Amino acid sequence: MKELVVDASVAFKWFSKEVHSVAASRLFDGQVVLCAPDLIGPELGNVLWKKVCRAEITAADAFEIIAAFGRIGVEIYPTAVLLPSALKLAVKLDCTLYDCLYLALAVAKNCALVTADERLHTAAVANGLATNVRWVEDEW
């Protein structure tokens, strides 16, 4: 079974009808083990909070999405052990430490991060990490 790291940009698409949502849902084909650093929960929650504040979704919808995310079974890894390598990546790629935590996990597990974050994807590919990052629309 193949392992892939997913970030919050992909996880939110599982619960919304927006660009790349269909591609993100392909991760549920039964052939993939999904992994993420423990940051994914707070990041997803923050996106939901923003959507509620903008009246794009209801608070009830946000709570339902959080509950549904918990049932998906994404394997969660602690960020504390990823911090040194994530910081190196953040400096090298000029990307946030938050985003690089996902990439650091992919590098540590020798697999790929699936992302819908264009800036992170572009920076990772440009800096020799093409084997560790996939655009959400790519094959994995």
Side-chain angles (χ1 to χ4, degrees):
M1 183 117 15
K2 182 180 229 171
E3 284 187 307
L4 292 171
V5 175
V6 292
D7 65 10
S9 71
V10 170
F12 180 72
K13 292 179 185 320
W14 295 334
F15 307 103
S16 66
K17 292 188 187 324
E18 61 180 37
V19 175
H20 309 304
S21 293
V22 172
S25 67
R26 288 184 299 146
L27 288 163
F28 299 119
D29 69 359
Q31 304 300 311
V32 179
V33 174
L34 302 173
C35 309
D38 55 18
L39 176 67
I40 195 168
E43 280 204 312
L44 180 59
N46 198 57
V47 169
L48 295 171
W49 168 75
K50 285 181 182 179
K51 297 281 186 184
V52 170
C53 289
R54 294 179 191 143
E56 295 174 17
I57 63 172
T58 67
D61 290 338
F63 283 104
E64 187 176 313
I65 290 168
I66 286 292
F69 176 74
R71 292 189 296 269
I72 288 175
V74 174
E75 291 183 7
I76 303 296
Y77 292 83
T79 56
V81 298
L82 299 168
L83 282 172
S85 56
L87 181 57
K88 285 179 188 173
L89 288 168
V91 170
K92 180 179 180 179
L93 276 57
D94 191 26
C95 290
T96 68
L97 178 78
Y98 303 117
D99 291 338
C100 289
L101 283 163
Y102 296 96
L103 188 55
L105 179 59
V107 169
K109 295 185 74 50
N110 196 29
C111 67
L113 160 65
V114 179
T115 186
D117 182 329
E118 189 173 355
R119 185 172 190 275
L120 176 61
H121 180 266
T122 300
V125 169
N127 283 278
L129 294 165
T131 59
N132 294 108
V133 66
R134 297 286 182 277
W135 182 244
V136 66
E137 293 285 346
D138 289 349
E139 294 297 319
W140 39 75

